[in-house]
Structures are given as C-alpha cells and as structure tokens.
Amino acid sequence: MAGGKIQKKRQVGGGGRARLQGGIPFEKSKGQHILKNPALVDSIIAKAGLKPTDTVLEIGPGTGNLTKRLLEAGVKAVVAVELDPRMVLELSRRFQGHPLLAHNDWILQIGQCWVIQGDVLKCDLPYFDICVANIPYQISSPLTFKLLSHPPIFRCAVIMFQREFAMRLVAQPGDTLYCRLSVNVQLLSRVSHLLKVGRNNFRPPPKVDSSVVRIEPRKPLPPVSFKEWDGLVRVCFNRKNKTLGAIFKQKRVLELLEKNYKTMQSLQLAQDSEMGEEKMSPDDVAVLANMVEDLSMETCDEKEDDEMEMDDADMAGDGRASLKEKIMGTLQQGDFADKRSSKLSQVDFLYSLSLFNKAGVHFS
C-alpha cells in the first residue's frame, strides 16, 4: 500500500535498493511505503465499520495488504485505484486464485476486486459507500476535496495521512494548527482522529509519523455559496492572528471587495427578481480542487506583514470610503472587529458571511 514521503532509499544486502515483496523497487516520486503491521491493518478495518453491502474505494493499494483484508471482511466489492502499473501486476499475481473476469489496459477485475490503473486525481471515480486508504501524502489536500465533491455523497472515509496534515484537519479554534484547511474541511464534513501510526509500521519507514482520520460528509451540505465562503476564509486567514478589523482595513482587501461590490450591484440590477438564497452544491465544492495548492501544509505563522492599511484620508473621494464604513459597521454588528480568525468557529464564520452578504459585501 502506498503513502507518505519516501526517505533515502535503504541499502539492502550488498547495496541494492529497498524493494517491495516480489522484488519491485520503491519509487520516490510515487511516495511508496508498505504498511507491514497486520494488527494495524486489522484495526483500520475494524474502525471503518464495513457492511456486507458496501462497495469500498481503496487508493494506492500497492501490493494489496489492505486490499486482502477488505476482501476477507466480506464487503460487496473493492475498487482499488493504483497509479503504478507494476503494482497492478503485483495485485494480479497476488490474487490470481480469484477468477479473472475482465482485463484491458485500464481496468482489471479479479473476483470482487476491481483495479483501476490511473491517477486518482484525474480519473472519474465510480460509486462507492466508503473509502479506506493509506494515500501518497503529497496528494492529501486535492484528494480530500475531490472525495468531498464526489456525487453521490459517500458514508465515510477512513484515511491515513501524514500526522501534521491530519491534525490540521481536526484542529479546533484556538489550536496552533487551526487554519483555512481546518475550516474548509469541517464545513463540509465531520472529522475525527482515530489513531496515531508510528513510522516503523511501514517498510521502509517514512520520515514522519502518520494518523488515521475518519471523514463523514455532511448531509445536506450547508446552505451557503462555497465561493463566497472560501473567499471570506481566505481573506481572514491571510493574517489569522490579526484582528478582523485590521485585516479588512488593508488596501488590497478593500480593493478586492470594492471590485466584487460593483460587480454584484450590476448583477443585482439584472437579476433581482430571480435571485434566491445561495446554496452549496457538489459542483460548487469541486471548485476547491483548483485552489488547494496552498492548503496542504500551509504554515500557521503569519506572513510578513507588508500590506498597507488605508485610512479615511487615503479614501477621500473614493468609493471605498462608503464600502469601508459598510465593512466596519458589519464587523461591529457581529462583534467581530476585535476578534481573530484563529479563534473563530464555523458558526462565527457562517454568521459573519451572512452579515456581510446582507450588507452587499461579497467575496467572489
């Protein structure tokens, strides 16, 4: 099974590269690590809460240690997505006792196990009830949001992540690791930490520890535009330890909101009779798949503050003056002016967004 950033290749015997069972060498670019502890595999299976009717999605099956246990658990089917064609051949060899029903360049069916050869971030995923996986850690962010935007909504995902990434997913307001990633994932799902996994449970051991996390998509999705939500959160967490009052006085922020304000005023004139409450859809959530490069392991330290605040004199005769008054008034109305993003809950962000939108201030 694959997952994690690979460390320097171990020397085996007379200087050979570290290899998987069957003599296949590891590839650093694919983040390949094999979960070798059978007790840990059993624990992951137990915590997944599998049912006989479940179709299980596994990502990065590698040589099939987890795949084998999933099949033995008696689920309806396992769909495994594997990028490395050598691993696909290894899976075929390992499960050759199962009847081979179909085979082509893209998909292989071995009994109740379907193996899709391809990049999980690029291929269309089939229906599944639950995802159980130890993933290559470099795809943690885009994969998480791809799963959360997958229709129809699945029951849950039990995934092994690099420990620091996992702790960002479950971080709460006030925690050191609480960040934009935490807020966005928790808007769309309930996230819980299941167990910590030491690096020595893998062959070869990665440089970092891991954690297994359970992600349960919210049903229904919150009644909010995701573009608006992510726009607000992005602004707030750009300087998460500054007060919101200070953040929204920055010249760059005011220029952005002024542009949005003028755009929304024009749209409203044309669409007043048709507009209703904005709601989030899976397509709306999918937008985040193109925004996650800076979400995966973002620092919790503030960036160097080189942004200028714009005072009233700077904005004299400028349309931003009235907009600034709207923004400051909205922050005061919600008692947010002196609060910091690092301390705000999901409810706080939702409430502040509703107040901004009612005042005609938009973030997308």
Side-chain angles (χ1 to χ4, degrees):
M1 191 168 67
K5 293 181 179 178
I6 198 165
Q7 64 178 19
K8 291 182 180 178
K9 292 170 181 164
R10 296 172 55 191
Q11 298 297 313
V12 180
R17 292 191 296 173
R19 294 175 179 272
L20 305 175
Q21 60 192 57
I24 303 174
F26 293 98
E27 287 194 7
K28 180 177 180 179
S29 63
K30 296 185 175 68
Q32 291 173 340
H33 292 273
I34 300 303
L35 187 57
K36 66 180 183 180
N37 185 343
L40 183 57
V41 174
D42 290 342
S43 179
I44 292 172
I45 296 293
K47 291 180 180 297
L50 300 174
K51 300 177 181 179
T53 55
D54 282 343
T55 294
V56 181
L57 174 69
E58 184 187 4
I59 300 161
T63 57
N65 291 345
L66 180 57
T67 313
K68 181 173 182 292
R69 288 293 293 113
L70 288 170
L71 291 169
E72 290 172 350
V75 296
K76 180 180 179 181
V78 175
V79 179
V81 183
E82 174 58 60
L83 178 64
D84 192 338
R86 304 170 307 154
M87 299 300 172
V88 175
L89 291 175
E90 175 64 16
L91 290 167
S92 178
R93 182 198 65 78
R94 184 169 186 181
F95 298 113
Q96 61 186 342
H98 295 273
L100 184 64
L101 301 182
H103 186 201
N104 57 42
D105 291 338
W106 180 65
I107 189 164
L108 174 70
Q109 183 178 355
I110 311 167
Q112 291 174 293
C113 178
W114 289 86
V115 181
I116 298 174
Q117 182 181 326
D119 185 338
V120 69
L121 297 181
K122 297 178 181 178
C123 66
D124 293 330
L125 297 177
Y127 170 87
F128 63 94
D129 299 289
I130 185 169
C131 175
V132 182
N134 170 31
I135 66 170
Y137 293 154
Q138 61 265 32
I139 67 170
S140 295
S141 270
L143 177 63
T144 299
F145 289 104
K146 176 166 184 171
L147 292 177
L148 288 173
S149 64
H150 179 73
I153 295 177
F154 54 94
R155 188 167 80 249
C156 76
V158 176
I159 303 178
M160 191 179 302
F161 294 109
Q162 181 176 337
R163 180 163 176 78
E164 185 176 347
F165 182 89
M167 300 316 292
R168 291 179 189 275
L169 293 182
V170 301
Q172 297 299 304
D175 291 349
T176 302
L177 293 177
Y178 188 63
C179 58
R180 182 171 152 234
L181 174 68
S182 318
V183 174
N184 278 326
V185 172
Q186 291 173 31
L187 174 76
L188 305 174
S189 63
R190 296 177 180 85
V191 191
S192 55
H193 182 269
L194 297 181
L195 57 97
K196 180 179 178 180
V197 181
R199 63 196 74 183
N200 290 328
N201 289 285
F202 299 91
R203 186 178 70 249
K207 294 180 179 179
V208 295
D209 290 331
S210 305
S211 279
V212 179
V213 168
R214 183 183 182 91
I215 300 174
E216 299 178 63
R218 295 189 186 276
K219 304 175 186 177
L221 290 169
V224 62
S225 162
F226 186 79
K227 291 180 182 179
E228 287 275 345
W229 168 272
D230 186 60
L232 169 64
V233 173
R234 184 187 293 269
V235 168
C236 292
F237 276 93
N238 187 49
R239 299 286 189 276
K240 76 169 191 173
N241 289 318
K242 293 178 74 72
T243 64
L244 295 192
I247 290 173
F248 281 92
K249 287 179 183 176
Q250 292 176 357
K251 180 179 179 180
R252 180 183 56 81
V253 173
L254 286 169
E255 287 174 344
L256 171 66
L257 296 182
E258 181 188 26
K259 180 180 178 181
N260 292 344
Y261 184 68
K262 290 178 178 178
T263 300
M264 291 304 296
Q265 280 187 317
S266 299
L267 290 174
Q268 195 166 4
L269 289 173
Q271 301 176 2
D272 262 348
S273 60
E274 301 176 9
M275 288 184 68
E277 182 183 24
E278 286 198 275
K279 294 188 178 181
M280 185 182 304
S281 69
D283 288 341
D284 199 13
V285 179
V287 171
L288 191 62
N290 298 319
M291 305 179 184
V292 295
E293 289 80 4
D294 59 332
L295 278 173
S296 57
M297 291 302 292
E298 60 188 352
T299 178
C300 285
D301 298 326
E302 289 189 0
K303 300 175 183 177
E304 185 177 344
D305 195 353
D306 56 359
E307 295 290 341
M308 294 176 56
E309 288 191 7
M310 185 172 287
D311 59 26
D312 294 337
D314 294 327
M315 297 191 300
D318 193 314
R320 274 168 284 185
S322 61
L323 178 60
K324 181 182 175 182
E325 290 177 3
K326 276 181 177 289
I327 292 172
M328 293 301 115
T330 300
L331 292 174
Q332 292 293 343
Q333 180 184 353
D335 195 25
F336 290 118
D338 296 324
K339 293 184 178 179
R340 291 168 170 78
S341 306
S342 58
K343 307 288 186 181
L344 297 184
S345 67
Q346 296 285 319
V347 172
D348 291 329
F349 281 113
L350 285 168
Y351 180 45
S352 64
L353 180 60
S354 70
L355 291 179
F356 276 123
N357 286 173
K358 286 178 182 177
V361 179
H362 293 273
F363 296 86
S364 66

